[in-house]
């Protein structure tokens, strides 16, 4: 059972084979629901399964369609819709709230939460499957599955398509997940339109371009609509905007009207994850009954789509799946390489002299990285004897490098990991009785955690200390000197994290 016990926290949790399988099953389930073939969808009958729906933010479609899907499957549901009346408003952390629903022996958690990465945290924290029903501005993968289903239902394919995405591309999690998901298919051209302040994040554009997607940033919604097969309109996410003057400017552009519809192709489909904000509409009400307006059908597809997702994770279907199964990419966590030792005579004419007895010399660091190491190794707090400098390399005076020497200090394995995390590429010389006993070349570890002072640069990430959620920052290597936050996916340069 390839899908049993799996979380659904991001759209990249699936291979293309798995996505297509889910869409095929959704089509069958939609038909079964329409024809009220109860035995084909009441798959949990007799299993006494309980879903916890924890909605910290407002929702109509996602919450009710999950609830209906669970009930149609034959599951019970519990949880809350908004934090009013819950102990969240007494200051309870997400961790403790999740613990409760695990203690009640719920079988899965379906959660919407305002912090980016909250679903990834929940999935690490509890032993039952977690469904991300929207985490901050990060992702909304179950929306994307029904979006992909709707596109394929309307056009018959998911490849060789021109797709427009418009509205709030910065804070709109549905826009991010859809762009990333479409990048897994061939021949996708993305046409983006938004107020410049609400443009698609660079890392999403970079990721989809790397996968071969053509990305066009358009100046006019009308022109864009004429060139695409599907337009995915989105709401300006006022509740996530720190500067409401930006909202006032952004809401004035991008209204899809009857005139816009006149310019579209015959097979065109207008989609929207909904809701449409009536005080700043992105779609004029006159469009609602138009045959090319797909958003009501799209929202209705939420029930069969989420029913299939629940059934797969709970092991109620999926035994006929054949194809590539998702697995986390394997990557070696080795970060220490032993290097040969060349004993050099001690020179007294250099400004920094090696340690004469015991200690450690950290060399070939990025210039000025020694200041960071002094902090993370708590050198001053420990009252260590040290020298730190950015100097010219003796081998090549055009190269400057950071160095740190600490007398009578032996770095633990955890400290070596910390050094590798903040200054990859450095060498660590272990000095015993005045001579180098080991020379270690450090590279960036695959997993970066427990670095004192490390913080994700995304100020909406659940791992930020100001949210008091006690979620330790956890980064994954994402290329040379780059890391990705495990929770919210933010890409950062290692020089930014401490
Ligand atoms: N599309 C969507 O997430 O709608 P709701 O906010 O109503 O759940």
């Amino acid at each position: 059972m390839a899908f049993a016990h799996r979380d659904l926290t991001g759209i990249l949790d699936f291979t293309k084979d798995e996505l297509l399988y889910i869409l095929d099953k959704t089509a069958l389930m939609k038909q079964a629901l329409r024809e009220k073939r109860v035995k084909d969808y009441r798959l949990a009958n007799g299993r006494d399964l309980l879903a916890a729906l924890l909605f910290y933010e407002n929702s109509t479609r996602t919450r009710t369609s999950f609830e209906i899907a669970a009930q149609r499957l034959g599951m019970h549901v519990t949880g809350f819709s908004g934090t009013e009346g819950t102990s969240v408003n007494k200051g309870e952390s997400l961790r403790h709230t999740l613990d409760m629903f695990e203690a009640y022996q719920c079988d899965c958690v379906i959660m919407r939460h305002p912090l980016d990465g909250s679903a990834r945290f929940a999935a690490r924290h509890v032993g039952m499957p977690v469904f991300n029903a929207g985490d901050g501005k990060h992702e909304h993968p179950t929306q994307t599955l029904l979006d992909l289903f709707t596109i394929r239902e309307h056009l018959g394919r998911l490849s060789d398509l021109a797709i427009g995405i418009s509205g709030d591309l910065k804070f709109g999690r549905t826009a991010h997940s859809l762009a990333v998901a479409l990048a897994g298919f061939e021949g996708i051209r993305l046409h983006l339109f938004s107020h410049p302040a609400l443009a698609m994040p660079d890392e999403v554009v970079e990721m989809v371009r790397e996968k071969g997607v053509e990305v066009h940033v358009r100046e006019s919604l009308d022109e864009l609509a004429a060139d695409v097969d599907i337009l995915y309109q989105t709401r300006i996410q006022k509740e996530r905007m720190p500067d409401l003057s930006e909202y006032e400017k952004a809401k004035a552009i991008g209204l899809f009207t009857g005139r816009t519809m006149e310019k579209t192709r015959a097979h065109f489909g207008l989609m929207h994850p909904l809701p449409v904000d009536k005080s700043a509409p992105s779609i004029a009400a006159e469009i609602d009954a138009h045959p090319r307006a797909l958003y009501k059908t799209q929202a209705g597809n939420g029930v069969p789509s989420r029913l299939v997702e629940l059934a797969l994770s709970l092991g109620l279907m999926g035994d006929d799946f054949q194809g590539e199964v998702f697995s986390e990419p394997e990557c070696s966590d080795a970060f220490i390489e032993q290097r040969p030792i060349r004993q050099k005579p001690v020179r007294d004419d250099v400004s920094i002299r090696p340690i004469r007895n015991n200690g450690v010399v950290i060399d070939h660091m990025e210039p000025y990285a020694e200041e960071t190491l002094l902090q993370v190794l708590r050198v001053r707090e420990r009252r260590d004897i040290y020298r730190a400098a950015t100097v010219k390399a003796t081998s090549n005076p055009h190269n400057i490098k950071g160095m740190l020497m600490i007398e009578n200090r032996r770095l633990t394995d955890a400290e070596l990991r910390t050094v590798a995390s903040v200054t990859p590429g450095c060498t660590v010389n272990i000095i015993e009785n005045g001579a180098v006993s080991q020379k270690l070349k450090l590279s960036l570890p695959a997993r970066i955690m427990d670095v004192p002072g490390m913080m994700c640069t995304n100020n909406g990430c659940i791992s930020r200390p100001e949210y008091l959620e006690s979620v330790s920052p956890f980064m994954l290597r994402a290329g040379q000197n780059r890391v990705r936050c495990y929770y919210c996916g933010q890409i950062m340069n290692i020089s930014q994290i401490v």
Side-chain angles (χ1 to χ4, degrees):
M1 297 281 267
F3 294 92
H5 312 298
R6 275 172 57 180
D7 304 302
L8 205 178
T9 59
I11 198 64
L12 292 178
D13 291 353
F14 297 109
T15 64
K16 187 173 171 185
D17 288 343
E18 290 173 338
L19 281 179
L20 293 173
Y21 176 84
I22 293 170
L23 302 189
D24 289 345
K25 289 291 176 193
T26 301
L28 296 174
M29 203 50 80
K30 183 171 177 173
Q31 191 67 17
L33 288 165
R34 187 185 292 135
E35 294 168 6
K36 292 262 183 234
R37 282 190 269 118
V38 179
K39 69 171 180 35
D40 288 341
Y41 58 78
R42 189 133 312 153
L43 303 176
N45 244 350
R47 291 274 305 270
D48 192 26
L49 296 174
L50 177 59
L53 285 95
L54 313 184
F55 275 67
Y56 287 73
E57 283 190 338
N58 298 337
S59 169
T60 296
R61 277 147 289 274
T62 312
R63 188 181 63 77
T64 55
S65 60
F66 256 121
E67 195 170 312
I68 294 165
Q71 287 168 340
R72 294 270 196 253
L73 266 174
M75 298 177 70
H76 306 285
V77 294
T78 185
F80 51 82
S81 172
T83 58
E84 190 63 33
T86 74
S87 290
V88 177
N89 286 359
K90 297 183 205 164
E92 185 166 70
S93 64
L94 174 60
R95 166 192 304 269
H96 277 176
T97 304
L98 289 166
D99 286 344
M100 291 308 96
F101 289 90
E102 192 159 52
Y104 303 149
Q105 300 184 356
C106 290
D107 296 285
C108 66
V109 168
I110 299 158
M111 60 176 276
R112 173 170 288 190
H113 193 278
L115 292 177
D116 301 352
S118 47
R120 292 274 277 175
F121 164 70
R124 270 192 107 195
H125 186 65
V126 294
M128 56 192 151
V130 171
F131 294 86
N132 181 4
D135 61 329
K137 62 182 178 304
H138 179 220
E139 277 227 46
H140 195 350
T142 71
Q143 175 71 42
T144 304
L145 286 169
L146 73 92
D147 293 339
L148 294 177
F149 178 79
T150 307
I151 295 171
R152 197 179 74 159
E153 186 179 52
H154 184 65
L155 295 172
R157 65 186 197 280
L158 284 168
S159 54
D160 190 25
L161 292 174
I163 307 277
I165 309 182
S166 168
D168 188 343
L169 310 183
K170 180 177 179 184
F171 297 106
R173 54 197 173 197
T174 59
H176 303 160
S177 293
L178 181 64
V180 168
L182 285 167
F185 296 89
E186 304 291 313
I188 298 295
R189 282 118 31 223
L190 278 187
H191 296 257
L192 307 177
F193 175 75
S194 68
H195 186 279
L198 299 181
M200 188 68 93
D202 288 344
E203 56 205 61
V204 176
V205 173
E206 201 178 301
M207 182 196 283
V208 301
R209 279 199 167 127
E210 271 172 19
K211 291 190 171 182
V213 173
E214 278 179 28
V215 179
H216 305 275
V217 177
R218 305 296 296 260
E219 302 283 317
S220 143
L221 183 67
D222 281 15
E223 283 175 23
L224 179 159
D227 289 346
V228 295
D229 303 303
I230 293 283
L231 172 61
Y232 193 85
Q233 275 283 63
T234 59
R235 178 178 65 88
I236 309 288
Q237 306 270 304
K238 183 180 179 184
E239 68 275 28
R240 303 192 201 286
M241 296 180 72
D243 181 356
L244 284 186
S245 66
E246 281 189 359
Y247 168 73
E248 292 302 327
K249 283 184 240 157
K251 76 175 191 183
I253 66 166
L255 174 64
F256 192 102
T257 63
R259 277 196 42 217
T260 322
M261 188 63 97
E262 281 169 20
K263 299 179 197 305
T264 63
R265 301 164 175 181
H267 62 266
F268 172 82
L270 178 61
M271 293 174 61
H272 195 303
L274 303 178
V276 172
D277 178 354
K278 64 188 177 189
S279 66
S282 41
I283 296 178
E286 73 214 34
I287 300 297
D288 287 354
H290 197 285
R292 292 178 203 164
L294 306 182
Y295 35 92
K296 190 172 159 195
T297 306
Q298 177 188 357
N301 287 336
V303 172
S305 177
R306 289 173 172 131
L307 192 153
V308 168
E309 294 156 22
L310 285 168
L312 288 170
S313 272
L314 293 167
L316 305 174
M317 63 159 59
D319 50 5
D320 59 345
F321 173 74
Q322 291 180 330
E324 190 191 350
V325 177
F326 175 81
S327 61
E328 292 284 353
E330 288 282 319
C331 61
S332 161
D333 201 31
F335 62 92
I336 301 176
E337 188 192 330
Q338 294 271 356
R339 284 285 171 91
I341 301 165
R342 283 185 293 126
Q343 296 290 0
K344 293 184 210 161
V346 173
R347 289 172 55 189
D348 281 333
D349 60 332
V350 290
S351 54
I352 303 276
R353 267 173 275 160
I355 290 163
R356 295 191 184 272
N357 297 313
N358 297 321
V360 65
V361 177
I362 307 172
D363 197 0
H364 301 291
M365 294 191 282
E366 283 294 306
Y368 312 107
E370 68 277 3
E371 272 305 321
T372 310
L373 274 201
L374 287 172
Q375 286 171 40
V376 298
L377 295 176
R378 298 171 48 246
V379 171
R380 292 185 183 115
E381 277 169 79
R382 291 168 44 115
R383 320 287 298 170
D384 284 336
I385 304 296
Y386 75 92
R387 285 171 186 232
T390 284
V391 295
K392 288 178 182 163
T394 39
S395 55
N396 179 355
H398 297 295
N399 282 352
I400 59 170
K401 62 178 184 176
M403 288 183 82
L404 173 62
M405 306 175 181
I406 317 173
E407 282 193 14
N408 294 324
R409 180 95 184 248
R410 190 103 205 200
L411 297 182
T412 64
D413 288 351
E415 286 170 333
L416 281 171
R417 177 180 278 275
T418 296
V419 173
S421 300
V422 298
T423 64
C426 71
T427 47
V428 174
N429 300 279
I430 295 168
I431 315 291
E432 288 178 307
N433 300 320
V436 179
S437 65
Q438 280 188 79
K439 187 185 270 290
L440 312 173
K441 180 87 177 166
L442 303 188
S443 54
L444 189 60
R447 295 178 187 79
I448 300 150
M449 58 194 111
D450 301 328
V451 176
M454 179 167 88
M455 213 193 296
C456 177
T457 57
N458 170 10
N459 58 17
C461 178
I462 190 157
S463 67
R464 295 274 294 208
E466 61 265 38
Y467 298 118
L468 307 175
E469 291 287 355
S470 306
V471 176
S472 301
F474 176 24
M475 316 274 175
L476 302 172
R477 186 173 58 215
Q480 194 171 9
N481 292 354
R482 298 224 299 174
V483 295
R484 184 174 74 248
C485 174
Y486 174 84
Y487 300 108
C488 74
Q490 177 93 346
I491 302 276
M492 293 156 273
N493 196 293
I494 48 150
S495 60
Q496 297 174 286
I497 65 174
V498 180

